[in-house]
Amino acid sequence: MKKLNQFPLPTRLLLVAIAVVILAGIGYAIRQKMAVTKLAELDAKYVSFDGDYLFSIPAKYTVNGTAIPKVTIVYPEGSPLQKGQSVDELYLNGTVAVQAIGELKSDNPEAFTAYVKDVLAADLRKMFNSPSDLRPAKQKDADANEIYALGPDGKRLRALFAINFTQPILVAAQDRSEAFKTVGFTMEDLKKSSFKPDIDQAAEVIKEIAQKLQQQKSGELRTNSTAKFRKKITEGQLVDNLKKSAQHLQRPISIVGGLYNDKFFIAQLVFESKTKDEQPTAGVVSLQKKGKVWQLDDLQLPRD
């Protein structure tokens, strides 16, 4: 069994005061509000390709998978993210954060148990100089643990929910709020989810779209698009838009995740920086399902 000092430190992102970075272009996701609201009404889930998990979105919350690398932030609609906010500040606003536990590469039960006890619970005790409360649980047939830091009066100072999925994950919040429970207790292992075949199909279409964006293939983008998309934007307008985004489109593109139900997928993209002088930017690709085929329904791209 691993001891505390055998676990590497850098990936414990949810337990430290990491600052939020608002990527250029992330406002595009906000401008998708009507589409996101529609998805929420249809029981949309957020899918993370970084961490191989998916969960239901709490009422009156929104999701950002780009503000902190490898972390999904679920925050109240009335408390938009601000550049430079720490994770601790976000928790005070009711935010829930999720990430894969990078130190664990599989669902090995002994490694998971050791990590929960020797790392998560120990870190909480050290951070808050207080006792921790560790409770065994289950989530979708996977072993799990609720871990809390307790104040002198027994008040919870931090809430964690660790789940031993194929890729173990961690959910964190200020306390055991309704949002924390909604995110944690609807959490699924993407690799074992019944939604995986449909999500995989959508992900392949998004990858193809990303490649066509980089190649400036406007005609092919329109070929597999909805009638609404073709009505909204002519090929000439699309060509012009792609030219205006060309600098960003030549960067490596990461598909971090997105909002999903069986009719829509709104994917969050990150256009990675290629040099130290560049900043990553973000965009959105929206798909709609027609029959059994996912089609491009909207594009929001950063511009040069």
Side-chain angles (χ1 to χ4, degrees):
M1 222 179 252
K2 290 188 177 183
K3 300 297 184 182
L4 174 59
N5 59 9
Q6 291 179 277
F7 289 102
L9 295 174
T11 55
R12 284 183 233 162
L13 302 182
L14 300 183
L15 300 177
V16 296
I18 289 181
V20 167
V21 177
I22 305 299
L23 301 189
I26 197 59
Y28 293 143
I30 298 171
R31 288 201 287 273
Q32 292 283 330
K33 184 175 180 181
M34 292 304 296
V36 171
T37 301
K38 189 181 296 182
L39 281 170
E41 292 171 356
L42 295 172
D43 192 27
K45 296 180 181 293
Y46 184 81
V47 179
S48 169
F49 295 122
D50 281 335
D52 282 330
Y53 56 80
L54 66 156
F55 58 86
S56 295
I57 304 162
K60 298 184 179 180
Y61 271 68
T62 190
V63 185
N64 185 310
T66 66
I68 299 176
K70 307 296 184 183
V71 176
T72 300
I73 299 175
V74 188
Y75 60 96
E77 291 177 352
S79 300
L81 301 180
Q82 302 293 327
K83 183 177 179 179
Q85 278 181 304
S86 70
V87 173
D88 286 337
E89 289 172 328
L90 293 175
Y91 289 149
L92 290 173
N93 289 336
T95 292
V96 181
V98 188
Q99 75 165 133
I101 299 175
E103 295 91 333
L104 302 177
K105 305 301 182 183
S106 71
D107 56 357
N108 179 285
E110 287 190 358
F112 178 75
T113 299
Y115 186 84
V116 168
K117 292 181 178 179
D118 299 341
V119 178
L120 295 179
D123 274 359
L124 285 185
R125 290 194 295 272
K126 182 177 179 180
M127 281 181 63
F128 293 97
N129 193 26
S130 68
S132 61
D133 181 17
L134 180 61
R135 302 182 181 186
K138 285 281 187 181
Q139 180 59 30
K140 292 288 183 181
D141 297 324
D143 289 336
N145 285 96
E146 294 184 51
I147 312 110
Y148 302 100
L150 301 179
D153 56 356
K155 181 182 179 181
R156 294 180 179 126
L157 305 176
R158 182 63 47 83
L160 304 179
F161 188 42
I163 309 172
N164 197 24
F165 285 160
T166 308
Q167 167 58 65
I169 67 159
L170 184 64
V171 181
Q174 180 73 13
D175 54 33
R176 199 175 189 268
S177 63
E178 288 302 314
F180 175 80
K181 290 187 285 186
T182 296
V183 172
F185 300 162
T186 63
M187 192 67 67
E188 295 185 48
D189 186 334
L190 179 56
K191 292 180 180 179
K192 296 181 179 180
S193 173
S194 61
F195 298 111
K196 187 177 188 302
D198 199 33
I199 291 171
D200 284 348
Q201 288 181 16
E204 283 303 311
V205 172
I206 296 165
K207 289 177 185 177
E208 292 171 5
I209 289 171
Q211 186 176 41
K212 289 179 172 63
L213 288 171
Q214 291 178 317
Q215 296 169 346
Q216 301 275 312
K217 291 187 175 180
S218 57
E220 293 184 22
L221 286 167
R222 282 174 57 83
T223 296
N224 186 33
S225 65
T226 62
K228 186 183 85 172
F229 180 84
R230 295 192 298 272
K231 183 178 180 180
K232 177 182 176 182
I233 183 169
T234 66
E235 184 164 358
Q237 289 172 324
L238 182 56
V239 169
D240 185 56
N241 288 346
L242 295 183
K243 286 181 179 178
K244 290 177 179 177
S245 300
Q247 179 182 331
H248 303 273
L249 296 177
Q250 293 311 307
R251 300 179 180 187
I253 301 175
S254 298
I255 306 165
V256 298
L259 294 165
Y260 162 81
N261 71 7
D262 61 355
K263 295 181 178 64
F264 296 90
F265 198 113
I266 300 179
Q268 295 177 331
L269 309 183
V270 173
F271 301 89
E272 307 287 353
S273 56
K274 293 193 293 185
T275 70
K276 64 180 182 180
D277 296 324
E278 290 180 338
Q279 292 295 321
T281 55
V284 172
V285 169
S286 298
L287 304 183
Q288 186 172 356
K289 198 173 187 183
K290 297 293 184 179
K292 295 184 178 180
V293 179
W294 288 102
Q295 295 182 322
L296 175 62
D297 192 53
D298 199 9
L299 272 177
Q300 300 286 354
L301 301 173
R303 297 197 173 191
D304 296 341

